[in-house]
Amino acid sequence: MKSKTIDEINEKIANGKANIFTAQELKELIRQDNALKFDEVDVVTCGTCGIMSGTAAIFHLDVFEPGLFKKAKNVYLNGVSGFAGPCPNEWLGSIDTIVYGTSHSIEDDSYGGGFLFKDIVEGKDIAIEVESTEGEHYSSSITIENIPTAQMIGTRMAFKNYTSFVNPSKESVSSIFNAVAMEGSFKSFSFSGCGEINPLQNDPKQNTVIPGSKILLNGSTGVIVGNGTRSSDIKPNFMLAADMHEMEGEFLGGFKTSEGPEVFDSVAIPIPVLNEDILNQLMILNSDIILPIADIRGRHLPLSETTYEKVWNNFDERPIFHEDKCIKCTDCLVEERCPTFAFTVVDNQNKKKLDIEKCFGCGMCGYSCVGRAFEMNTGKVAIAIDDSVHEVPIACRQSDIKRAKSLTDKLKNMIESNGFQL
């Protein structure tokens, strides 16, 4: 069997002779019956983007004068609580704190850790509130330039296997797996996962994506620490870490759900094609990948299954907003439901605007708009249960294929320009 080594591939990269493809480029070639041979490909960049609840950040906040207070008991960043410690830092005025991406602001229920992390990465001023062990309160502000340590760690990221959801009951059900309480009787469908371009779908046996491997996390060069929490051979995921100073705001952020704000991240990982077995694993397509369908009341209640081909192939990645069709509802469902605050009022005439850079491509706008001002085909899923088939519209995508592809493109460009070595 033919084979290559990492050193040989790195040498080809350094000499500008490596054949590097994104996962989406490779899959398109396969669909066109132009699958690459072993000698024709050296590296494939794979990626995913979606809600990753296990995201946390570790900060060192050196913001107060030494001697001002003994120790911090509680710390808040833009109202989002952090765990103060574990280092005591007595009388130093500096604080080590861990903030969870799923933490909610005490001031605004719709703002949480994911939105905070995006604001930090984008260089915005962050309000710091500290309560000392003596009960005294201190305030300050800071930007990422003044945060000596800002390290993100994901305890479970880039899952290989996801579950999709419907609500077969008559009552609406609130869940982190949908942007709003999911209406009953098979009214809508929610899913996660980037299917055929996901790193672990392309290297399920983890032949190349191993502890110590370099990756991109939200645009920053990071590392695979190991397998994440709840990881198993059947349902693997990663624990990842990277420096937030190098991250890019477009790749991460907050995502509102009916159970409060969550956090989304983007991950890209290169797969070196060291042998033909690895190349064969890379041949997987959305049509090959099963997506289980479960009752929104619990992942332990499987109902049916579909494939990622049925939820991604040939569907729109972003909506088009037709302003002339907007009927300017006083209580706009799209503005209320948009998980990333991408649709907002821009003037006192109730004129609304879609910020395409904030848009996640979830589909809630097209599903919710009373005036049909949004053009977006997200498709429907046929769910067969007993003797009935339910055609259910895809209303909420909790993964963003467009951001995932953008990060795989970025990683490919970095490798080609010798900015990222395997």
Side-chain angles (χ1 to χ4, degrees), residues 40-314:
E40 297 175 318
V41 56
D42 296 303
V43 182
V44 177
T45 59
C46 300
T48 189
C49 172
I51 292 178
M52 301 185 190
S53 302
T55 307
I58 301 169
F59 300 115
H60 173 215
L61 305 173
D62 191 10
V63 292
F64 297 102
E65 290 294 325
L68 189 61
F69 56 85
K70 185 176 181 180
K71 289 192 294 185
K73 178 182 178 182
N74 296 307
V75 58
Y76 301 91
L77 291 80
N78 283 358
V80 179
S81 62
F83 173 79
C87 300
N89 297 320
E90 288 187 351
W91 305 112
L92 294 181
S94 63
I95 305 160
D96 287 351
T97 184
I98 300 172
V99 180
Y100 298 117
T102 52
S103 293
H104 299 181
S105 169
I106 59 173
E107 301 163 355
D108 180 357
D109 286 341
S110 64
Y111 186 89
F115 293 103
L116 170 67
F117 296 161
K118 184 180 183 72
D119 286 342
I120 290 174
V121 166
E122 291 183 340
K124 296 180 181 178
D125 283 326
I126 306 300
I128 308 294
E129 299 287 335
V130 167
E131 179 188 2
S132 73
T133 50
E134 288 80 25
E136 298 168 315
H137 292 261
Y138 303 91
S139 300
S140 186
S141 65
I142 201 169
T143 66
I144 193 167
E145 293 180 355
N146 305 115
I147 303 178
T149 299
Q151 192 78 13
M152 181 175 286
I153 184 164
T155 60
R156 52 185 183 275
M157 290 181 146
F159 274 83
K160 172 179 175 284
N161 312 77
Y162 284 92
T163 302
S164 58
F165 298 95
V166 292
N167 180 11
S169 70
K170 295 181 180 180
E171 303 296 326
S172 295
V173 177
S174 180
S175 168
I176 63 169
F177 297 112
N178 204 51
V180 296
M182 184 175 273
E183 294 177 288
S185 300
F186 297 96
K187 291 283 176 51
S188 65
F189 180 93
S190 172
F191 79 95
S192 299
C194 289
E196 66 188 19
I197 70 169
N198 187 314
L200 277 168
Q201 290 288 358
N202 288 278
D203 188 5
K205 297 178 182 178
Q206 295 178 250
N207 292 313
T208 66
V209 287
I210 58 176
S213 294
K214 288 169 59 180
I215 53 100
L216 285 187
L217 176 55
N218 300 325
S220 175
T221 301
V223 67
I224 297 176
V225 178
N227 284 101
T229 59
R230 307 181 198 171
S231 183
S232 67
D233 290 341
I234 297 175
K235 295 187 175 183
N237 69 81
F238 290 128
M239 184 176 291
L240 307 176
D243 190 342
M244 293 178 69
H245 291 90
E246 304 301 321
M247 290 185 181
E248 300 174 40
E250 67 175 290
F251 294 118
L252 78 161
F255 187 103
K256 291 189 301 177
T257 74
S258 57
E259 284 291 297
E262 280 278 341
V263 54
F264 74 83
D265 300 285
S266 305
V267 177
I269 301 177
I271 295 182
V273 183
L274 304 178
N275 54 55
E276 293 184 25
D277 284 345
I278 291 172
L279 179 60
N280 289 335
Q281 294 287 350
L282 285 160
M283 296 296 175
I284 193 168
L285 297 175
N286 279 334
S287 56
D288 305 317
I289 305 172
I290 298 298
L291 178 61
I293 302 171
D295 190 321
I296 191 72
R297 293 169 294 182
R299 279 173 278 186
H300 61 289
L301 299 173
L303 299 170
S304 186
E305 63 182 33
T306 184
T307 67
Y308 275 98
E309 179 182 35
K310 303 295 185 181
V311 298
W312 276 133
N313 288 23
N314 302 315

Side-chain angles (χ1 to χ4, degrees), residues 206-422:
Q206 295 178 250
N207 292 313
T208 66
V209 287
I210 58 176
S213 294
K214 288 169 59 180
I215 53 100
L216 285 187
L217 176 55
N218 300 325
S220 175
T221 301
V223 67
I224 297 176
V225 178
N227 284 101
T229 59
R230 307 181 198 171
S231 183
S232 67
D233 290 341
I234 297 175
K235 295 187 175 183
N237 69 81
F238 290 128
M239 184 176 291
L240 307 176
D243 190 342
M244 293 178 69
H245 291 90
E246 304 301 321
M247 290 185 181
E248 300 174 40
E250 67 175 290
F251 294 118
L252 78 161
F255 187 103
K256 291 189 301 177
T257 74
S258 57
E259 284 291 297
E262 280 278 341
V263 54
F264 74 83
D265 300 285
S266 305
V267 177
I269 301 177
I271 295 182
V273 183
L274 304 178
N275 54 55
E276 293 184 25
D277 284 345
I278 291 172
L279 179 60
N280 289 335
Q281 294 287 350
L282 285 160
M283 296 296 175
I284 193 168
L285 297 175
N286 279 334
S287 56
D288 305 317
I289 305 172
I290 298 298
L291 178 61
I293 302 171
D295 190 321
I296 191 72
R297 293 169 294 182
R299 279 173 278 186
H300 61 289
L301 299 173
L303 299 170
S304 186
E305 63 182 33
T306 184
T307 67
Y308 275 98
E309 179 182 35
K310 303 295 185 181
V311 298
W312 276 133
N313 288 23
N314 302 315
F315 295 117
D316 296 335
E317 296 178 3
R318 287 292 185 270
I320 297 173
F321 173 52
H322 297 283
E323 186 180 338
D324 58 314
K325 294 183 180 179
C326 178
I327 58 177
K328 299 182 179 181
C329 301
T330 303
D331 297 314
C332 175
L333 282 179
V334 177
E335 185 177 5
E336 175 189 331
R337 294 177 172 183
C338 178
T340 58
F341 299 106
F343 190 67
T344 55
V345 174
V346 293
D347 62 23
N348 57 12
Q349 299 298 316
N350 201 25
K351 182 178 180 180
K352 297 180 174 67
K353 177 185 177 183
L354 174 64
D355 186 336
I356 205 67
E357 292 184 3
K358 286 185 178 181
C359 178
F360 193 78
C362 69
M364 282 303 301
C365 53
Y367 175 77
S368 304
C369 183
V370 176
R372 299 290 184 263
F374 289 86
E375 180 184 337
M376 189 176 190
N377 179 17
T378 55
K380 295 181 179 181
V381 174
I383 303 174
I385 299 177
D386 298 327
D387 296 327
S388 301
V389 176
H390 304 270
E391 290 283 340
V392 185
I394 298 173
C396 184
R397 303 192 292 206
Q398 291 194 304
S399 286
D400 184 355
I401 198 78
K402 186 176 180 65
R403 275 186 172 86
K405 290 178 180 177
S406 178
L407 196 60
T408 63
D409 287 336
K410 177 181 175 67
L411 180 55
K412 175 185 173 179
N413 293 335
M414 288 177 67
I415 295 172
E416 289 179 332
S417 63
N418 287 295
F420 187 106
Q421 190 175 41
L422 303 184

